[in-house]
Amino acid sequence: MIPRLDPGRLPRGRFALGILGLLLGSGATDVLAGTTGRILGSVLDSEGRPIVAATVRVVGTSFGAYSDEEGRFHVLNVPSGVYEIGVNRLGYGATVIREVLVSADETTNLEVRMPGEAVEVEEVVVTATRPPVEIRRTSSKATVTSRDIEALPVQELSDIVDLQAGVVDGHFRGGRIGEVQYQVDGVSVNNAFNNESSLKIDRSLLQEVQVISGTFDAEYGQAMSGVVNAVLKQGTPDFRWEAEALVGGYFYPESNDRIVDDPIDPTDIQNYQVTLRGPLPLKSTYFLVNARRSTFDDYITAERRFRPSDDVAPGTADFLPSGDGGEEPLAYNREWSGAAKLTTTAIGGLKLNYQAIFNRRRSRPMDGAWAFRYNPEGLSKQREFSVAHGFDATWTVSPTTYWDLSGRQNYLNYEDFVYESAWDPRYDEAGPALPDDRYEPGAVVQGVEFTRFRQVTDNLLLKSSLVSQITPEHLVKVGGELSMPHVEFGTPGHLVYTQVGQQAILNRYVDRPPDYPGVRDYEPVLGAAFLQDQMEWPDLIVRAGLRLEYFNAKAYLPSDLSNPANTIAGAPESHPVAVPRKAYLSPRLGVSYPIEDYAAIHFSYGHFRQFPALTDMYSKADYSELATLQAGVDPGIFGNPDLEPELTVQYEIGFTHALDENLGYDVTIFYKDIRDLLGIEYIPTYNDARYPRFTNTDFGDVLGTTFSLEHRELGPLRLALDYSWQRGIGNASDPEETYNREEAGEDARPRLVPFDWDQRHTFNATVSWNRPGASISSVIRLGSGRPFTPVLDSGFGNGLEKNADRKPYGMLVDLRGHQDVRIGGRGVQFFARVFNVFDTRYFGDHVFASTGTTEYSRFPFADRITLADPTRFKPPRKVEIGIRLDSEVW
């Protein structure tokens, strides 16, 4: 069983269900996808004839195989990494192939030629070469190895993902945020509350990152736009350690362009991490331990002129500041993170693994913070703790069959408030945050934010699969997944003023439904089963699969939505009815047709379903709040536990060509038909009122093409670039857009317009210069303008058609360089990173609707607050320097 962080939080029945799921995992849970690959190949003599019974072994591991009568062999379940492959056969010279790369969920193909037939032949050592582009893939997939990651100017997993073709600020091929499945070692780490990743993964932990932006196999679910799988490093037979430290800050020209002072503090950014790997005293047992501390102070500083309890002198415009006048970063982040991993193969045929990854964060975000530049103590602060921990078990049944079982607890606790207790007397002393334009436009000079929010997700996941190479051509996976999230969210104490005579009294309401509900908890059940067949012949690869998905909301809705609280006199009676369970089948198909060994045509098609985030299903899902609803009253948007899954049907066709051993390219065309997206419907009631609630009403489509090219070696240079063109249109960019247009008195009827993130042209390039012990790499990103709605005049109702114009293009350049030196006989690496090298102030962010630029507005008085706000610009140039130590001597 999985050790839970807080066993008391898990109801006994749910705990028993989890144990039952573990015991029955092989029949009811999903594959441990994304951690291992396979090696497929043939052993031939110098004249191309098959060699029978040759021994093929993965050096340094227990993996191996024998060649059959046709010289073919396959090695299953090999962890991601770079290996040496040894091949031996009596009467032939031993052969070693170096630099063999194995990627998760991929097949590495080898053709081994063994020399001569003399009994005594010296060992032949060959360095494996792989094509610059993957010929045998059936859909778009980028694999970034640990070597690539070390050379890039990136720090976390999200930085790596944003560099891939078709990805624009977390949007995969035109999809909404929250449509991507994030996995660590093949198991989801998404937060069921909002369908986003619950963890930040530092680059020091990453063995490999796979970004699937096209279609994907049936083993992946609860995603419509893509899959990101982070494969972590693991323990090693020999003891190793590495440590890294970096410091940095913002450096930009002294000018008025950014309308903010530019004090330079080279310690605004600090990051320290250490990783230990090695064996334990137990046989065949290895460990990994990682710890990281990072601190970040934003470049904009706040001045403590006011305290939250300050006020204006009665009957005057005289301000009474009592702050100490000190300065502090307006936004900041303090984070601890780390990981531990324990792996053993001491039990014959069984591999056991336990791992835990955690993040602990204390922060004050920049969004909306500029208003508090003279009263920073009034800003709400965010506190977050997340951990994903559990076990993996792999049992090798035979050389052609193995079984995986995984169990995880994904736990996240997020809080957002100024003071933890709703009864804190400082709320009474301060009152709500109040800007006062008499002091300075938009500046909050008294009070605190009354934001109070808590969200906890405690999710137990069980996954399992049976994998078998049933014939040399067919690799079959069958398995399933069970997810049992316990989600809590809401307001831990409402702060509400009431007027008593001439005095306003601050009241606290804790769990006082229907008007002031507290933190509510929900326990839906999600399940899936899948069948996947990977068929490989020399001139054809087919990946065909079918996925069955299940959802039980475990919730109730009114039987008559027109009398939701059963309080309308004379109306038909309404009573709670259980939300029906849901199940859906999703087919997936991918085909690749190789042309010799240097080119291939690939095609893929699939249905991809995703149940909406639980926050949209369950927020305000207690319809008793509508007991007093009257015509003309806006009650806000209500959740809907009876939502259908959102659906994307995706098609992709492409051509891959390796021009030589170093140069190759891929061209892919894709189309996405998006249906049943989350949107808003208005429900009429019997008393002539109406209320909005979420439903599956929005839609859209995306058409695009991607071109990627890689030139691995051009002397000391290496070049990789990709270009994406896409057109994403739909009736709404946000589920609440229809509601917002209705409330603003605009036409809320559906119409097709570009999505807010519809960046038609995206170009990414990575250029590196390498020599032994040193390298310099640059990442260049260029994006065309995203849509915005222009206005002709200041005031209400002067906007043109939604997203009728385009923002300017933007470009960012980042650099990384390193130099290895020897100090005391040990290798030491000094490195530097520069982000936003040219101090770009704009890269696809805010523009004024009257001008289409972030620099100025045609209506400076109406926009005076925004014009004075430096946060509308892209953060300035950031420079970091660091040192990396490694136990290995270079």
Side-chain angles (χ1 to χ4, degrees):
M1 121 181 138
I2 308 168
R4 298 186 69 88
L5 294 177
D6 187 358
R9 298 176 53 84
L10 184 64
R12 181 175 299 176
R14 184 164 173 258
F15 181 74
L17 181 61
I19 295 299
L20 179 62
L22 282 173
L23 296 175
L24 302 179
S26 60
T29 57
D30 183 60
V31 68
L32 174 62
T35 57
T36 63
R38 65 171 176 164
I39 302 173
L40 192 69
S42 57
V43 183
L44 309 173
D45 64 18
S46 57
E47 297 182 3
R49 294 173 297 198
I51 298 177
V52 182
T55 302
V56 181
R57 57 191 175 86
V58 182
V59 178
T61 75
S62 59
F63 296 102
Y66 294 101
S67 60
D68 61 17
E69 62 274 6
E70 297 180 9
R72 296 181 299 183
F73 67 90
H74 52 261
V75 185
L76 301 182
N77 202 30
V78 181
S80 299
V82 179
Y83 298 95
E84 288 187 0
I85 306 298
V87 184
N88 294 275
R89 178 67 166 95
L90 186 63
Y92 294 87
T95 302
V96 174
I97 303 98
R98 292 177 175 170
E99 301 291 320
V100 176
L101 176 66
V102 178
S103 293
D105 286 339
E106 294 290 341
T107 300
T108 299
N109 290 275
L110 294 178
E111 182 181 288
V112 182
R113 296 272 181 161
M114 301 190 73
E117 293 189 355
V119 176
E120 294 185 5
V121 178
E122 291 186 2
E123 182 179 78
V124 177
V125 178
V126 180
T127 299
T129 59
R130 60 186 181 95
V133 287
E134 179 54 57
I135 300 298
R136 303 175 71 84
R137 286 180 182 164
T138 59
S139 65
S140 298
K141 180 178 182 179
T143 300
V144 187
T145 67
S146 58
R147 292 180 182 178
D148 299 327
I149 294 169
E150 288 177 2
L152 290 172
V154 296
Q155 185 61 49
E156 296 178 344
L157 174 64
S158 59
D159 302 328
I160 300 167
V161 173
D162 282 341
L163 294 177
Q164 307 311 312
V167 181
V168 177
D169 287 345
H171 298 273
F172 277 52
R173 287 190 173 178
R176 289 177 174 177
I177 290 291
E179 295 184 358
V180 178
Q181 177 72 236
Y182 285 87
Q183 300 185 337
V184 173
D185 284 349
V187 182
S188 172
V189 292
N190 275 23
N191 182 2
F193 172 76
N194 58 8
N195 282 338
E196 297 180 18
S197 178
S198 62
L199 289 174
K200 290 184 176 181
I201 309 295
D202 185 67
R203 66 188 181 95
S204 61
L205 285 171
L206 297 172
Q207 175 66 36
E208 180 179 274
V209 175
Q210 296 176 331
V211 181
I212 307 175
S213 57
T215 60
F216 39 89
D217 289 347
E219 62 189 278
Y220 300 107
Q222 193 58 8
M224 292 199 299
S225 291
V227 176
V228 175
N229 183 38
V231 181
L232 301 188
K233 296 176 180 177
Q234 59 182 0
T236 52
D238 54 326
F239 180 76
R240 300 178 184 176
W241 61 267
E242 61 182 52
E244 182 179 286
L246 70 84
V247 295
Y250 292 97
F251 296 81
Y252 51 100
E254 184 177 354
S255 69
N256 292 323
D257 291 340
R258 288 189 172 274
I259 58 174
V260 68
D261 294 335
D262 59 336
I264 297 174
D265 187 343
T267 62
D268 279 344
I269 301 161
Q270 300 183 48
N271 189 84
Y272 310 95
Q273 70 89 12
V274 61
T275 302
L276 306 177
R277 292 191 285 170
L280 289 174
L282 300 175
K283 176 186 175 183
S284 302
T285 303
Y286 313 105
F287 75 92
L288 176 147
V289 177
N290 170 274
R292 176 192 177 206
R293 171 63 171 172
S294 66
T295 63
F296 167 78
D297 290 342
D298 214 315
Y299 70 102
I300 298 176
T301 58
E303 180 185 345
R304 295 188 296 270
R305 295 186 190 177
F306 294 88
R307 297 182 63 250
S309 57
D310 288 343
D311 207 342
V312 180
T316 73
D318 295 332
F319 297 89
L320 307 174
S322 64
D324 61 11
E327 292 187 344
E328 62 179 82
L330 189 58
Y332 61 81
N333 185 67
R334 307 285 184 266
E335 184 175 340
W336 286 97
S337 62
K341 197 168 186 178
L342 185 66
T343 305
T344 182
T345 56
I347 305 173
L350 184 65
K351 179 181 178 180
L352 299 175
N353 177 80
Y354 174 82
Q355 67 179 31
I357 312 169
F358 82 92
N359 296 149
R360 181 181 179 274
R361 177 172 63 89
R362 299 290 183 269
S363 64
R364 192 164 67 194
M366 182 60 79
D367 290 345
W370 175 245
F372 289 81
R373 55 193 177 273
Y374 303 130
N375 178 25
E377 294 178 22
L379 278 167
S380 183
K381 303 168 186 65
Q382 298 177 355
R383 304 155 180 85
E384 181 176 300
F385 174 76
S386 59
V387 63
H389 75 122
F391 70 89
D392 309 309
T394 302
W395 176 36
T396 303
V397 180
S398 72
T400 59
T401 304
Y402 66 92
W403 173 66
D404 280 327
L405 174 64
S406 290
R408 291 284 192 279
Q409 181 194 9
N410 290 344
Y411 177 86
L412 181 141
N413 188 326
Y414 172 86
E415 296 175 326
D416 189 355
F417 41 66
V418 179
Y419 309 120
E420 183 172 2
S421 172
W423 281 270
D424 195 306
R426 288 174 290 183
Y427 277 122
D428 300 272
E429 297 171 5
L434 297 175
D436 198 321
D437 287 0
R438 295 174 300 176
Y439 185 81
E440 188 174 301
V444 172
V445 296
Q446 60 180 323
V448 299
E449 290 187 303
F450 272 17
T451 301
R452 294 189 57 77
F453 181 74
R454 176 176 293 134
Q455 193 270 306
V456 179
T457 299
D458 190 2
N459 192 10
L460 183 66
L461 295 98
L462 306 170
K463 306 183 74 174
S464 181
S465 71
L466 184 66
V467 183
S468 182
Q469 189 83 48
I470 57 175
T471 72
E473 294 81 19
H474 290 265
L475 178 69
V476 175
K477 297 182 181 182
V478 59
E481 176 179 3
L482 182 64
S483 176
M484 298 174 288
H486 179 103
V487 177
E488 302 176 8
F489 63 93
T491 302
H494 297 259
L495 305 175
V496 181
Y497 275 98
T498 58
Q499 196 71 25
V500 179
Q502 300 297 316
Q503 187 176 6
I505 303 298
L506 181 59
N507 297 303
R508 278 82 165 175
Y509 297 108
V510 178
D511 202 10
R512 291 275 297 275
D515 295 327
Y516 305 108
V519 176
R520 292 284 185 264
D521 64 295
Y522 308 93
E523 293 187 342
V525 175
L526 296 86
F530 78 89
L531 174 64
Q532 183 77 35
D533 187 4
Q534 181 174 332
M535 297 160 273
E536 293 200 29
W537 294 274
D539 56 356
L540 182 67
I541 299 96
V542 179
R543 301 173 80 110
L546 188 65
R547 183 177 180 89
L548 172 66
E549 295 174 281
Y550 166 86
F551 180 74
N552 181 4
K554 298 174 68 175
Y556 293 84
L557 283 173
S559 60
D560 189 341
L561 293 174
S562 294
N563 186 15
N566 197 32
T567 56
I568 301 176
E573 183 179 353
S574 181
H575 57 274
V577 294
V579 174
R581 299 173 176 86
K582 297 176 173 63
Y584 301 88
L585 281 172
S586 300
R588 316 277 172 87
L589 176 66
V591 179
S592 177
Y593 178 65
I595 304 171
E596 299 296 336
D597 293 328
Y598 56 84
I601 298 171
H602 58 85
F603 164 81
S604 58
Y605 157 84
H607 288 220
F608 306 94
R609 288 183 168 88
Q610 181 178 19
F611 291 98
L614 298 187
T615 178
D616 298 320
M617 287 190 168
Y618 294 114
S619 290
K620 298 183 65 173
D622 182 358
Y623 286 43
S624 63
E625 183 178 332
L626 296 168
T628 58
L629 178 65
Q630 300 295 323
V633 176
D634 175 23
I637 302 174
F638 282 75
N640 182 6
D642 197 24
L643 289 169
E644 301 292 324
E646 299 171 301
L647 170 65
T648 291
V649 181
Q650 186 168 180
Y651 308 83
E652 178 182 296
I653 186 169
F655 178 70
T656 304
H657 189 192
L659 298 173
D660 58 37
E661 63 180 11
N662 289 315
L663 178 62
Y665 67 89
D666 177 271
V667 180
T668 298
I669 300 173
F670 63 89
Y671 175 74
K672 296 170 66 172
D673 183 17
I674 309 170
R675 291 292 180 265
D676 296 330
L677 282 176
L678 202 62
I680 298 295
E681 66 175 346
Y682 281 87
I683 306 296
T685 65
Y686 292 112
N687 60 348
D688 294 326
R690 64 175 188 163
Y691 60 95
R693 75 164 189 166
F694 286 118
T695 190
N696 300 94
T697 188
D698 286 355
F699 55 89
D701 65 72
V702 182
L703 173 67
T705 182
T706 61
F707 171 80
S708 60
L709 179 144
E710 181 164 352
H711 202 313
R712 289 197 302 212
E713 291 184 16
L714 186 61
L717 295 178
R718 177 173 179 173
L719 170 68
L721 62 86
D722 63 71
Y723 165 77
S724 301
W725 176 90
Q726 64 183 29
R727 184 218 61 186
I729 58 175
N731 72 303
S733 298
D734 182 270
E736 299 183 13
E737 186 174 314
T738 300
Y739 170 78
N740 293 333
R741 292 204 310 269
E742 178 84 11
E743 292 304 303
E746 300 174 358
D747 186 357
R749 291 175 296 181
R751 74 277 188 262
L752 283 175
V753 296
F755 290 130
D756 291 347
W757 55 86
D758 180 40
Q759 185 168 291
R760 293 291 168 89
H761 304 278
T762 304
F763 175 83
N764 297 317
T766 301
V767 183
S768 60
W769 177 85
N770 304 278
R771 66 175 179 82
S775 74
I776 298 176
S777 63
S778 175
V779 173
I780 304 167
R781 286 177 282 176
L782 182 67
S784 63
R786 301 173 199 173
F788 78 99
T789 303
V791 298
L792 297 178
D793 200 358
S794 179
F796 175 76
N798 290 298
L800 296 179
E801 180 66 24
K802 169 75 173 178
N803 285 346
D805 206 345
R806 292 274 167 174
K807 302 176 183 179
Y809 80 92
M811 184 177 75
L812 281 181
V813 178
D814 300 332
L815 288 174
R816 183 191 187 278
H818 83 265
Q819 175 68 58
D820 298 338
V821 299
R822 290 179 180 272
I823 299 178
R826 183 169 302 282
V828 178
Q829 182 181 101
F830 294 95
F831 65 91
R833 304 189 301 202
V834 184
F835 300 90
N836 192 5
V837 173
F838 298 109
D839 193 35
T840 298
R841 294 193 301 277
Y842 172 79
F843 188 70
D845 302 311
H846 168 272
V847 297
F848 289 101
S850 62
T851 62
T853 176
T854 193
E855 300 291 342
Y856 65 95
S857 167
R858 288 176 50 225
F859 315 113
F861 181 78
D863 292 326
R864 64 191 184 281
I865 295 176
T866 305
L867 283 167
D869 185 353
T871 66
R872 73 178 191 270
F873 295 119
K874 185 75 179 174
R877 180 187 302 111
K878 182 172 61 174
V879 179
E880 299 172 347
I881 59 173
I883 182 173
R884 183 172 180 268
L885 306 176
D886 197 304
S887 59
E888 295 184 278
V889 178
W890 300 320

